[in-house]
Amino acid sequence: MRSTTFRYKCSLALIVFCFGASTQAGGPVAHASELALMSLDDLLRVEVQGASRYAQPLADSPASVTVIDQQELHRHGYRNLAEALSSVPGAYISNDRNYSYLGVRGFSRPGDYNSRILLLTDGARRNDALYDQAHIGNESPIELDWVKRLEFVSGPASAIYGANALFGIVNAVMLDGGDINGARFTADVGSAGSRRLGLLAGQRVDSEHEWFFALAASGARGDDLYFPEFDNAAHDGWARGLDGEAYQKAYGKLRFGNWRLSANLSSRDKNLPNAPFLTAFGEPGTRTVDQHALIELAYDGELSKGWQQQFRLFNGGYRYEGSYRYADALDNLDQGRANWLGGDYRLIVTTLPAHKLMLGIETQWNTLLEQRNFDVLPAVSYLDSNRSSHTLGAFVQDEWRVSPQWLLNLGLRYDKHSDYSAITSPRAALIYQPSESATLKAMVGSAYRAPNAYERFYDDGGVLQKANPALLPERIRSVELAADFQVGQAGRFGVNIYRNDVQDLIDQVLDPADGLLMYSNQSHVQTQGIDFNAERRWDGGYRVRGSLSRQWSSAADGSELGNSPQWLGKLVFGLPLAAGWTLGAEWQGMSERRSLAGQVPGFGVLNMLLTSRPLTGGGELAVGVYNVGNRQYLDPASSAFTQDALVQDGRQFRLRWSMPL
């Protein structure tokens, strides 16, 4: 194992060295492109919304923010949010062939359902109310084709968002009608029998009115997979034809003046090939269904000069159903349903000299939080629970321009959950810009997450898991220093140093008294590390960015956390080729990780996408190869599986045709 670690450290170091050398070089000679040639000052003035709940320059945001624009999303052929987020410094993805899980800065607990990451679309919360889950894979309610810009905000943000914003925020800024002004059709085919159809349509009617609408449908047969843990007298270890998936999604947005009405529906059906929860291996019938619904009415307008008001009303729903096939044709159903409604109001005041003050209030009623677990035949019920709840939060943020070089951002939020005592979450950021070519930030903050209904009340009748209604909220305290510097006219280099301390961590553990799993509050957990990141752009559309992250994690007993790689390396680049084709490629490397029973080896994966220029008669062709080297790699498994680690996809191909209508 030591030689493997050394090899990946050397590989990551070599990539960063080569990348650093490229930022100093003059770069390829090509035709001029103002969009591709941006100074650091231009880059830092790109507006982001996720950090403060209003648009502000990137350099002024009270957090470290990574922005993936629409050009990069398109050029690299990311198939879902998870693939795009895996290119963010310090972030990594795990997959159990059902859901995708986002690890951030060394923290990703096996069995954690993305409840410590907050997912937003145009600033609207998308975590469901039952499991608190941020769905980011194919199970996500949105498609990347609908996203104009993806923002990842690192660090705690409960000071303005409340629960779940512990390690980061994913804000997908959705396309508007004016971004399309027409219609576009896409068709995909690929490995494992995958196929997808998509339709986008939108129009800006005038300065006051625009509309946008999108549909997507996908299906895949899936791969035949080998699991050595099931290679025995009863099975040969192969799960054949059991990895299929299908989804349908719809999204619409209507803007009329200062008002915006948006709605979203999605349904994903996934077969599970790896026999979770002791189900029968190699037999069809074990599958999950995830369905999302959200409707939102929002307003953003001027109350009077220097007074801006923003408010929204929303109603959401989520439905989960797990069908599990056990030995002797015994079928078990696991169901979850949630409905919620609420609203928020924000007042932004800019009449005070050198201040931008935001005051807000937010509430949500979780009217239905239903969980059921039962055998079909013979009919036996193990769980029938419905525990509604509600939350109320009030927050304030003051952005104070102390001097032309100094900016101070202070935030504080008060949250009251119906089942717990009130919690306050502060955040402070001091930003210093000594020149146009440098930005320095010092940030401290605190965030929380209350236990969700699944963690508190789920009980499968003594088979694997039991409830723990006495769970308490978990807290995180974070300290971070960040620096960003210009390199030449179109390059930048940044470094982030951070430390996260988690108290009362909600973690799934085995109770030695009865051998059942349960969620319990654990003692102190800590992650710390350093991220180096850089970017360089040249004339003609040449672009490269990369990062190297060193992470340390430890539990209260000093042991390293599971699924926490010490090293992460990313290299993302794009360049034009002959005959109007462009290449988008990325290499990602990860060192070994601790699993529940041992170590999972590190790996490196290369993905590539070739995109044509518009073809004669219209349309565009893209050819993607994922995991070009066909590397065989694994992700640590949770306690739901017999396997200690789960095999991931080998080489895959995708052909996409896009046609304006």
Side-chain angles (χ1 to χ4, degrees), residues 17 39 42 72 93 126 134 156 167 186 234 316 417 427-428 437 444 450 475 483 509 530 536 578 582 588 636:
F17 174 79
S39 68
D42 295 327
E72 184 172 331
I93 300 297
R126 300 310 305 266
F167 287 95
T186 58
H417 189 285
R427 182 176 72 173
S437 62
V444 296
R475 300 293 303 266
V509 299
I530 182 168
R536 181 71 158 93
T582 60
Q588 298 186 21

Side-chain angles (χ1 to χ4, degrees), residues 505-523:
L505 172 72
I506 300 172
D507 200 12
Q508 193 175 57
V509 299
L510 192 70
D511 188 345
D514 52 20
L516 293 178
L517 294 168
M518 62 179 290
Y519 285 93
S520 175
N521 290 108
Q522 304 300 298
S523 54

Side-chain angles (χ1 to χ4, degrees), residues 347-350 352 355-359 396-399:
L347 183 65
I348 301 172
V349 184
T350 55
L352 302 174
H355 288 266
K356 187 171 186 177
L357 183 67
M358 180 176 66
L359 305 170
V396 59
Q397 178 177 271
D398 185 14
E399 185 179 293

Side-chain angles (χ1 to χ4, degrees), residues 287-607:
R287 53 188 281 269
T288 60
V289 176
D290 295 270
Q291 297 178 336
H292 295 262
L294 180 72
I295 184 168
E296 177 198 20
L297 178 65
Y299 177 88
D300 186 350
E302 190 175 62
L303 188 62
S304 62
K305 186 175 182 180
W307 296 76
Q308 188 87 1
Q309 63 175 346
Q310 302 171 340
F311 62 84
R312 67 187 182 102
L313 301 172
F314 56 87
N315 183 205
Y318 173 69
R319 175 179 174 266
Y320 163 82
E321 180 169 289
S323 300
Y324 298 106
R325 171 62 59 91
Y326 287 90
D328 301 323
L330 176 64
D331 289 321
N332 176 269
L333 289 184
D334 195 46
Q335 297 177 337
R337 290 194 303 155
N339 289 325
W340 60 93
L341 56 90
D344 67 66
Y345 180 85
R346 284 156 282 154
L347 183 65
I348 301 172
V349 184
T350 55
T351 58
L352 302 174
H355 288 266
K356 187 171 186 177
L357 183 67
M358 180 176 66
L359 305 170
I361 188 170
E362 185 172 11
T363 187
Q364 178 170 313
W365 289 272
N366 302 319
T367 56
L368 177 68
L369 295 176
E370 182 182 78
Q371 299 182 84
R372 301 180 64 212
N373 185 280
F374 57 92
D375 291 339
V376 178
L377 289 174
V380 179
S381 177
Y382 304 109
L383 174 67
D384 192 350
S385 170
N386 184 11
R387 307 292 186 101
S388 60
S389 64
H390 61 269
T391 60
L392 176 66
F395 54 94
V396 59
Q397 178 177 271
D398 185 14
E399 185 179 293
W400 179 19
R401 178 64 67 177
V402 181
S403 73
Q405 291 80 31
W406 290 92
L407 181 68
L408 179 64
N409 189 297
L410 300 173
L412 181 68
R413 176 162 171 146
Y414 170 95
D415 281 290
K416 180 65 178 73
H417 189 285
S418 55
D419 295 346
Y420 296 101
S421 301
I423 293 177
T424 57
S425 302
R427 182 176 72 173
L430 182 62
I431 303 171
Y432 177 51
Q433 294 172 293
S435 68
E436 293 185 354
S437 62
T439 300
L440 308 176
K441 299 181 181 181
M443 298 159 285
V444 296
S446 177
Y448 84 99
R449 183 178 74 89
N452 56 55
Y454 169 73
E455 291 166 334
R456 295 179 66 194
F457 304 118
Y458 186 83
D459 188 321
D460 62 3
V463 178
L464 288 175
Q465 185 174 327
K466 64 180 181 179
N468 184 6
L471 275 175
L472 299 173
E474 61 184 8
R475 300 293 303 266
I476 182 174
R477 292 177 176 84
S478 179
V479 179
E480 181 177 354
L481 299 175
D484 217 296
F485 304 98
Q486 183 172 355
V487 180
Q489 291 299 312
R492 51 162 295 276
F493 173 78
V495 59
N496 299 73
I497 303 172
Y498 61 87
R499 172 172 167 166
N500 298 314
D501 293 278
V502 185
Q503 300 288 343
D504 294 323
L505 172 72
I506 300 172
D507 200 12
Q508 193 175 57
V509 299
L510 192 70
D511 188 345
D514 52 20
L516 293 178
L517 294 168
M518 62 179 290
Y519 285 93
S520 175
N521 290 108
Q522 304 300 298
S523 54
H524 180 254
V525 168
Q526 181 183 101
T527 64
Q528 55 188 331
I530 182 168
D531 296 328
F532 299 97
N533 59 90
E535 182 174 357
R536 181 71 158 93
R537 302 182 183 198
W538 292 276
D539 292 359
Y542 294 86
R543 183 174 179 177
V544 61
R545 67 178 174 92
S547 65
L548 177 66
S549 303
R550 177 63 166 98
Q551 306 171 152
W552 295 267
S553 66
S554 62
D557 60 2
S559 63
E560 185 180 61
L561 296 179
N563 197 18
S564 180
Q566 294 186 5
W567 292 91
L568 291 173
K570 318 283 179 73
L571 184 64
V572 182
F573 58 94
L575 63 154
L577 302 175
W581 288 78
T582 60
L583 171 67
E586 61 175 7
W587 183 94
Q588 298 186 21
M590 185 186 305
S591 64
E592 64 268 21
R593 292 167 284 173
R594 189 170 69 83
S595 61
L596 293 178
Q599 292 281 343
V600 175
F603 64 91
V605 171
L606 175 67
N607 302 321

